Every structure is written in structure tokens, then in C-alpha cells.
Amino acid sequence: MEYDIAAIIQGYAQGYFLMADDSESLGWYGSRDRTLIPLDERFRYPKSLRRILNQERFTVAINRDFQAVVAGCANRDTTWISPELQKIYWLLYQRGYAHSFETWQGEELAGGILGITIGGAFIGESMFYRIPEGSKVAMVKLVERLRQQQFVLFDAQMMNPHLERFGAYRIGDEEYQALLNTALQRNCYLV
């Protein structure tokens, strides 16, 4: 099946995101409010994680094993990452839009975050871990990287208790669209 990558990127640039439903049919979704991970002083994480970061048990990499991160994100009882969506992520990766931000413990993939970058926006699609704390360390290191590269926003799409621990907050659609438009004017690069 052929996919129109430009149209897919345009959908994300308008504030929509792709998800598969229970029948694995893909659809575009939006939200009245969006969850953002702060890229300023509001970002926080537990003290226990600070100890793990100081131990330097994990190394980080970008796109070292993109397909393994996508597979890890899709490997759960209920997932919105269908086989078709995995193919789309692969095509977006090949075009430089989709990325995996990974943590490694030696030669073992510990965890990662899958996301799409457009301008100064990082749109987080999913995260997973194989080794405890792997995805949390990835979150901290990804925020550091996005700050260094002067990204405007880290869109986590939907709130959950895990993201709240990092200072995630909700904004309304109008404010989100304004922030997204600002982000689209930037030329930021994860790698």
C-alpha cells in the first residue's frame, strides 16, 4: 500500500495524530485538550530517578534500533500501534520525521520513546521499557536534548499518571494550536 507521507505530516502539523482502533483500522484523532511535557523549569522527576541518573547505568542513543522501539511500544495487551501504523512509522523514519530516543544497558535495549519531529515540535507517540527505569531515564534525557536543540513543545497527546510525575500539564486546543504554529516555524533537529 502506498502512503502519502506529505499528507500524514500535514495531519500532524494541524494537530491530529494517527491511531488504530480495536479492528486495527487507522484514523485521525484530535483532542479538545493536549498534554505537554514541559521543556522549562516545570519539568520534574522523582529523587529516586536522580540517583539512577547519577549512577550512569544507562547510555542513550537516537535511532540506534528504531524498529525495536516501535515493536516495544506496540507490544502490549491493548495497543493503538497496528502493523499498518508500524509501517507508516518506518516510512516516516526513512524520511527523517520519526525517531526513537533510546536507553541502553550495555548491548541491551532498556527502553525508549517513539516520536515525530516537525519543526520545533516533538510529538511523542509512545514509550516502553524492558529494564525498570529505562523509559524514565529516556524521558529525562530526551527533555534535555529537546532543550539543547531549542524545541518549542513536547506533545505527549494524552495525560496519564506516569506523565504527571514529570510535570506534564494540559492545555486547550486553541492554545495548543498557537504553540504548534510557533513550533512549525522553527528548524530544530533531534539528531
Side-chain angles (χ1 to χ4, degrees):
M1 182 179 285
E2 291 290 319
Y3 297 100
D4 185 343
I5 298 301
I8 291 170
I9 291 302
Q10 187 62 33
Y12 278 98
Q14 292 174 7
Y16 297 100
F17 49 93
L18 282 171
M19 288 177 59
D21 61 21
D22 292 339
S23 67
E24 295 192 357
S25 295
L26 278 184
W28 284 103
Y29 293 85
S31 179
R32 282 189 222 113
D33 66 2
R34 286 301 260 271
T35 297
L36 301 184
I37 303 296
L39 297 178
D40 57 19
E41 70 283 346
R42 294 174 290 177
F43 182 74
R44 63 179 187 271
Y45 51 89
K47 288 181 181 172
S48 59
L49 185 56
R50 190 164 293 139
R51 284 191 297 275
I52 290 165
L53 288 161
N54 290 337
Q55 293 170 358
E56 298 182 355
R57 292 182 357 209
F58 300 101
T59 57
V60 297
I62 301 171
N63 300 334
R64 180 173 164 189
D65 196 344
F66 178 84
Q67 289 180 303
V69 171
V70 173
C73 289
N75 184 21
R76 50 189 80 182
D77 293 336
T78 303
T79 183
W80 62 95
I81 303 176
S82 65
E84 182 181 11
L85 189 50
Q86 289 182 49
K87 289 176 190 170
I88 290 171
Y89 288 146
W90 178 246
L91 293 171
L92 291 172
Y93 166 76
Q94 290 176 315
R95 299 277 179 88
Y97 291 106
H99 301 282
S100 58
F101 198 88
E102 309 155 2
T103 51
W104 292 80
Q105 194 168 61
E107 292 301 309
E108 185 177 355
L109 179 62
I113 300 172
L114 169 65
I116 294 169
T117 58
I118 307 171
F122 182 88
I123 302 160
E125 294 288 282
S126 187
M127 61 193 304
F128 85 104
Y129 71 91
R130 290 184 184 156
I131 298 173
E133 313 302 342
S135 63
K136 294 175 188 171
V137 170
M139 175 72 79
V140 171
K141 295 299 185 178
L142 174 57
V143 166
E144 289 175 2
R145 180 73 178 172
L146 295 174
R147 287 173 173 168
Q148 289 170 353
Q149 300 301 316
Q150 300 182 343
F151 274 74
V152 174
L153 71 88
F154 181 166
D155 179 359
Q157 298 175 354
M158 293 182 252
M159 183 64 79
N160 65 46
H162 175 70
L163 296 177
E164 279 184 303
R165 295 178 66 196
F166 290 94
Y169 62 99
R170 289 184 177 99
I171 62 172
D173 186 56
E174 192 173 307
E175 186 180 356
Y176 174 78
Q177 291 294 335
L179 198 55
L180 180 60
N181 287 333
T182 300
L184 295 175
Q185 306 307 312
R186 291 262 179 102
N187 289 317
C188 299
Y189 302 96
L190 193 61
V191 290

